[in-house]
Amino acid sequence: MTIPRRSLRAAGTLAAATVVGLTGTVLSAGPAAAHTPTWAVTCTEVSLDLTAYNGNVTNQVTVTVDGKDILPTETFGREFHKKLELPKHDKELTVHLVVKAGDDDNFSRDETKPAPVCEGTTPSPAPSEAAPSQAPSPEAPVGSATPSEAASESAPAAASPSPSSPDLAETGSSSATPIIGGAAVAVLLAGGGIMWSVRKRRTAQH
């Protein structure tokens, strides 16, 4: 049995086309399945290494720290490499990474990592701690002056009864008062008796 050459050529062409089609499919699916979003956070920086993405579509990456952008939304193709410096901080920060794959949302990433405080960084003191130490100083003189003023005002009041005590002793009932009264009565009686005897003699002479 003889097979025509045209049939052999047609079969070979079809096989070659099938191989090329399968190879293209594998190659096109390979990058999509190999998305590698690698990133690291230290106390000073954020390192981004996004590799094996589909370069035929538009991919996006955004990085925020405590809600503030340190990398506004940027587009990239097959790869993206960058280091971002963190602001100085004395407490732990929260770093948020968002990667949107343009070919499939299954390869997108939404992750957070903490940024620790660097060693040797001391927290800043709160401004309200120094306030209480200055408050008692103006109140101390006010309290010490009050008792002295009260004592100075009460001193004359305590000394006032002393001059009046001799007067009260002299104006009270004395032992000489009945004697003086009795002498006055005796003088009156003696005068009355003398007057009566004089009148009686005059009457007898007439």
Side-chain angles (χ1 to χ4, degrees):
M1 181 177 180
T2 304
I3 300 176
R5 292 182 177 179
R6 291 181 178 179
S7 298
L8 292 175
R9 289 179 181 178
T13 303
L14 181 60
T18 303
V19 172
V20 171
L22 292 174
T23 304
T25 303
V26 172
L27 291 175
S28 62
H35 295 67
T36 309
T38 302
W39 66 302
V41 178
T42 66
C43 68
T44 58
E45 65 181 13
V46 180
S47 301
L48 300 175
D49 292 297
L50 312 178
T51 60
Y53 278 78
N54 189 349
N56 298 323
V57 296
T58 301
N59 306 299
Q60 295 180 345
V61 56
T62 307
V63 180
T64 61
V65 175
D66 286 350
K68 297 180 181 179
D69 290 340
I70 62 170
L71 177 66
T73 303
E74 264 189 49
T75 59
F76 66 98
R78 184 174 175 79
E79 295 183 357
F80 183 86
H81 303 278
K82 199 163 191 176
K83 289 187 177 182
L84 307 172
E85 184 178 356
L86 290 173
K88 293 182 179 180
H89 54 282
D90 54 10
K91 64 179 181 178
E92 186 178 275
L93 302 177
T94 302
V95 183
H96 186 196
L97 170 70
V98 177
V99 179
K100 292 184 178 180
D103 52 357
D104 192 344
D105 284 341
N106 291 329
F107 302 109
S108 298
R109 293 290 182 272
D110 189 336
E111 302 175 355
T112 59
K113 289 185 179 181
V117 178
C118 296
E119 294 183 1
T121 303
T122 56
S124 56
S128 60
E129 293 179 359
S133 61
Q134 299 178 357
S137 56
E139 297 179 358
V142 176
S144 61
T146 305
S148 61
E149 294 176 358
S152 61
E153 293 177 358
S154 62
S160 58
S162 58
S164 62
S165 56
D167 295 338
L168 293 174
E170 294 176 0
T171 56
S173 59
S174 176
S175 59
T177 303
I179 299 173
I180 297 172
V185 173
V187 170
L188 290 176
L189 292 175
I194 295 171
M195 291 295 295
W196 179 77
S197 60
V198 169
R199 288 180 181 178
K200 187 177 181 181
R201 288 178 180 176
R202 288 180 181 178
T203 304
Q205 290 176 2
H206 291 290

